Amino acid sequence: MRSKNVVAALVMAVGLGTGLTTVVATPAHADSQEEQLDQAFLHALQQKGVPVKSRQTAIGLAHSTCDLLHRGGTVNDALLHVKNATSWSADQITAFAGVAVYAYCRDQTPK
């Protein structure tokens, strides 16, 4: 339960502290909007101190994390998914998951 609250708080903080809200609300061509969202996602990770070695790998991990949540996975499942795919600290894993949910699957935000 604690991790659900941590992710919920992080999702709110990430949204307020990045340009993701602007990018998501800006109408544009689908490819352009997706690219802008990806750029904002990567920028938010950088701001949160999450090391990204590969742009495509980070974006792919974010999407697979959202897919897991859409299939009924729990917040703990999502955090474990990110942990198993990386060598990040617990703080970096939590930050990544929060940014990923905020950017790509807000409908999965813990309530």
Side-chain angles (χ1 to χ4, degrees):
M1 185 63 123
R2 181 179 178 280
S3 63
K4 185 174 184 176
N5 293 336
V6 169
V7 173
L10 181 62
V11 166
M12 292 306 297
V14 166
L16 297 174
T18 68
L20 284 173
T21 53
T22 304
V23 173
V24 172
T26 304
H29 296 290
D31 290 341
S32 177
Q33 188 174 12
E34 184 176 317
E35 180 61 29
Q36 288 176 355
L37 182 57
D38 290 346
Q39 290 298 329
F41 167 72
L42 295 168
H43 180 73
L45 292 179
Q46 181 182 18
Q47 286 183 323
K48 297 294 179 187
V50 178
V52 173
K53 294 180 183 174
S54 164
R55 175 185 189 280
Q56 292 303 337
T57 299
I59 293 167
L61 180 57
H63 285 291
S64 66
T65 301
C66 286
D67 290 345
L68 184 146
L69 292 169
H70 280 120
R71 290 190 316 269
T74 66
V75 170
N76 286 335
D77 293 336
L79 294 172
L80 185 59
H81 174 70
V82 175
K83 178 183 179 196
N84 289 339
T86 66
S87 59
W88 294 333
S89 70
D91 287 342
Q92 291 168 328
I93 291 166
T94 303
F96 180 90
V99 173
V101 168
Y102 190 84
Y104 298 111
C105 55
R106 281 193 217 176
D107 62 317
Q108 296 301 309
T109 302
K111 302 203 180 346

